[in-house]
């Protein structure tokens, strides 16, 4: 039978049957729950991938605008400010903060940008000329970085969700294709084994009953035989006595002795 | 992933050409740590910079420093260390490939976008 192929090593008892049935029920519940979780995550995942696609394109545009404004600065200042900027960077004004979002029990981090007020490393940049362009450029780049931060949080969520969905799907498949069939096989095996035991028991009972009947019949026959013999003997014993005493008056006769078999 | 792992990550890092880095620094993401080992969170790459330096910076930003949440890298520079970028799968810090002035953005090369496309079966 197929149950022998893949089943759990249990003894075929009613207790383990009940246990297996509970397990099957649990597996089915878990399967449907996980399936739903996987669907919710996939929905979210698709939304995120779509937004990533959009955000990446937007980033391309924003970055080109930003690069253009930097070119304007170079023109207005009348020389490279690269070196000056790189050397005067001290403390980040533009920082990020991570917060969490919960999607079906998965914690997705999201970055949030914030600006630390009061620190400006580039007070001297563009002091001579082109200060306005520098300020404009800073704003443009700040907006670009905001877009980048948003994209980064989408991307992080993408990576994490991808991983989680894989794990959840693996679990769903494991339950669907391994645990449930195996439990069902085990239940089938236990049932067939219990049936077998039942039949065996029934046959044994029948056998015992048959033997008992035979024994009783034998005993009855023996008893009957004995009785017959006794009766015959009695008759033989009684007959001569009649001969001696001659015919008796039945009515006047003494009371008969009680016959006890 | 413990909570402390990403709560401390509050900076961005840049590996890029001179203009990209300058622009991003102007936006105010530049940060230099306290003097003893004053580490910058940006690296300017030009034609003379060799790949080992870029890889070292990438390594430093992604694995060694625990205060960086996002690593921005110019796409043409990411191409130079493409194997490192593609094999990087951690969630933190996030690697973000950005376009540069001289190199237009090509979505086909982006490691994440490629995954997006593959998932949608395009």
């Amino acid at each position: 039978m197929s149950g022998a192929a893949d089943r759990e090593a249990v003894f075929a008892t009613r207790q383990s049957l009940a246990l297996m049935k509970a397990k099957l029920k649990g597996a089915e519940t878990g399967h449907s729950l996980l399936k739903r979780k996987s669907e919710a995550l996939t929905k979210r995942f698709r939304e995120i991938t779509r937004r990533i696609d959009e955000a990446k394109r937007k980033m391309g545009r924003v970055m080109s605008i930003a690069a253009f404004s930097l070119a304007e600065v170079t023109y207005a200042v009348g020389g490279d400010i690269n070196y000056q900027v790189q050397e005067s960077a001290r403390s980040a004004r533009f920082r990020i903060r991570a917060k969490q979002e919960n999607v079906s029990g998965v914690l997705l981090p999201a970055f949030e940008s914030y600006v630390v007020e009061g620190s400006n490393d580039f007070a001297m940049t563009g002091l001579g000329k082109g200060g306005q362009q520098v300020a404009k450029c800073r704003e443009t780049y700040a907006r670009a970085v905001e877009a980048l931060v948003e994209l980064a949080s989408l991307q992080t969520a993408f990576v994490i969700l991808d991983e989680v969905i894989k794990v959840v799907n693996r679990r769903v498949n494991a339950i669907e294709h391994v645990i449930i069939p195996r439990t069902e096989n085990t239940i089938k095996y236990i049932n067939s084994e219990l049936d077998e035991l039942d039949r065996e028991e029934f046959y044994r009972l029948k056998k015992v009953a048959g033997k008992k009947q035979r024994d009783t019949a034998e005993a009855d026959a023996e008893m009957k035989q004995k009785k017959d013999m006794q009766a015959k003997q009695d008759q033989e014993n009684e007959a001569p006595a009649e001969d001696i005493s001659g015919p008796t008056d039945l009515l006047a006769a003494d009371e008969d002795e009680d016959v006890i078999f | 992933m413990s909570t402390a792992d990403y709560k401390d990550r509050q900076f961005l890092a840049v590996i890029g050409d001179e203009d990209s880095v300058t622009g991003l620094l102007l936006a105010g993401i530049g940060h230099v740590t306290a003097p003893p080992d004053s580490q910058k969170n940006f690296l300017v790459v030009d034609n003379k910079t060799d790949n080992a330096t870029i890889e070292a910076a990438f390594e430093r930003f992604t694995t060694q420093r625990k205060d960086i949440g996002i690593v921005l890298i110019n796409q043409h520079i990411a191409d130079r260390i493409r194997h490192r970028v593609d094999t990087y799968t951690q969630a933190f810090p996030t690697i973000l490939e950005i376009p540069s002035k001289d190199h237009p953005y090509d979505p086909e090369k982006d490691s994440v976008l490629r995954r997006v496309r593959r998932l949608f079966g395009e």
Side-chain angles (χ1 to χ4, degrees):
Chain A
M1 90 155 242
S2 62
D6 180 27
R7 60 176 167 77
E8 282 168 48
V10 289
F11 287 113
T13 57
R14 297 213 177 271
Q15 193 189 8
S16 55
L17 179 68
L19 218 67
M20 280 298 134
K21 277 188 175 159
K23 194 176 169 183
L24 182 67
K25 204 165 170 227
E28 270 161 5
T29 316
H31 177 255
S32 81
L33 278 177
L34 275 178
K35 193 109 189 168
R36 252 181 278 166
K37 177 177 177 177
S38 160
E39 270 157 20
L41 289 179
T42 314
K43 179 171 169 277
R44 189 57 183 252
F45 187 67
R46 289 194 168 266
E47 190 191 313
I48 284 177
T49 42
R50 195 172 43 76
R51 273 166 61 193
I52 283 185
D53 216 33
E54 273 169 26
K56 286 255 172 182
R57 282 166 217 289
K58 184 181 155 203
M59 172 188 81
R61 285 199 305 277
V62 168
M63 287 306 282
S64 73
I65 293 170
F68 188 70
S69 80
L70 186 65
E72 264 177 28
V73 168
T74 316
Y75 178 73
V77 173
D80 249 339
I81 58 162
N82 293 352
Y83 185 74
Q84 193 194 348
V85 166
Q86 280 160 32
E87 285 312 307
S88 52
R90 280 288 161 271
S91 166
R93 196 172 70 94
F94 199 102
R95 298 188 186 193
I96 50 173
R97 175 192 300 138
K99 57 185 172 46
Q100 281 184 325
E101 204 185 340
N102 194 337
V103 180
S104 315
V106 182
L107 294 174
L108 292 180
F111 293 115
E112 196 181 45
S113 54
Y114 66 101
V115 173
V116 180
E117 295 298 338
S119 82
N120 188 358
D121 296 336
F122 310 112
M124 298 299 167
T125 311
L127 192 61
K129 50 182 176 174
Q132 210 176 3
Q133 270 76 14
V134 171
K136 196 179 146 212
C137 180
R138 284 179 56 171
E139 262 175 40
T140 322
Y141 263 101
R143 272 206 302 278
V145 174
E146 265 166 35
L148 290 180
V149 168
E150 196 192 320
L151 181 55
S153 44
L154 283 177
Q155 201 175 298
T156 317
F158 171 84
V159 172
I160 290 177
L161 264 185
D162 191 27
E163 197 65 31
V164 172
I165 286 177
K166 261 187 224 157
V167 171
V168 170
N169 280 345
R170 208 173 297 147
R171 273 193 209 147
V172 169
N173 287 341
I175 289 181
E176 192 176 337
H177 297 293
V178 179
I179 294 181
I180 288 183
R182 188 197 284 169
T183 314
E184 277 172 350
N185 272 345
T186 313
I187 288 176
K188 246 192 263 168
Y189 161 75
I190 294 175
N191 269 333
S192 74
E193 204 78 339
L194 285 180
D195 282 355
E196 181 78 24
L197 279 180
D198 274 354
R199 278 196 295 276
E200 225 165 70
E201 185 71 17
F202 183 64
Y203 182 72
R204 208 164 59 83
L205 281 179
K206 245 169 68 177
K207 221 33 178 179
V208 168
K211 180 145 171 49
K212 254 190 190 152
Q213 228 168 12
R214 218 167 48 233
D215 282 357
T216 334
E218 243 167 51
D220 277 359
E222 210 170 296
M223 196 79 97
K224 205 171 173 214
Q225 214 178 4
K226 248 185 205 166
K227 231 184 335 188
D228 285 352
M229 290 256 283
Q230 189 80 41
K232 219 181 263 172
Q233 239 170 29
D234 283 357
Q235 264 181 6
E236 272 169 20
N237 284 348
E238 264 169 40
E242 249 176 18
D243 286 345
I244 298 165
S245 60
T248 51
D249 186 355
L250 276 174
L251 291 171
D254 299 330
E255 276 193 25
D256 285 333
E257 238 180 277
D258 287 337
V259 181
I260 299 165
F261 289 107
Chain B
M1 190 189 322
S2 66
T3 316
D5 192 27
Y6 62 86
K7 281 279 188 253
D8 306 334
R9 299 183 182 274
Q10 50 172 335
F11 299 120
L12 296 100
V14 201
I15 303 175
D17 60 14
E18 207 159 25
D19 283 344
S20 307
V21 172
T22 307
L24 292 167
L25 289 187
L26 270 181
I29 66 164
H31 192 83
V32 182
T33 51
D37 59 335
S38 46
Q39 280 189 332
K40 294 170 177 175
N41 66 342
F42 51 92
L43 174 76
V44 177
V45 176
D46 53 26
N47 294 332
K48 284 172 291 214
T49 315
D50 55 358
N51 288 358
T53 316
I54 303 174
E55 269 185 46
F58 185 78
E59 179 76 27
R60 194 169 66 242
F61 293 155
T62 51
T63 47
Q64 285 170 19
R65 287 190 62 167
K66 300 290 176 207
D67 55 350
I68 290 174
I70 304 174
V71 178
L72 303 169
I73 181 165
N74 270 146
Q75 199 174 32
H76 69 279
I77 294 164
D79 280 341
R80 285 170 64 177
I81 53 164
R82 179 52 68 191
H83 61 286
R84 291 296 300 271
V85 178
D86 280 354
T87 49
Y88 179 84
T89 51
Q90 275 162 272
F92 286 105
T94 311
I95 305 295
L96 199 56
E97 290 176 32
I98 58 172
S100 63
K101 203 171 74 180
D102 310 321
H103 301 78
Y105 186 67
D106 180 9
E108 297 308 313
K109 282 185 190 156
D110 194 301
S111 54
V112 172
L113 267 193
R114 267 210 308 243
R115 269 166 80 180
V116 171
R117 283 185 199 291
R118 204 177 56 225
L119 284 167
F120 280 109
E122 282 171 26

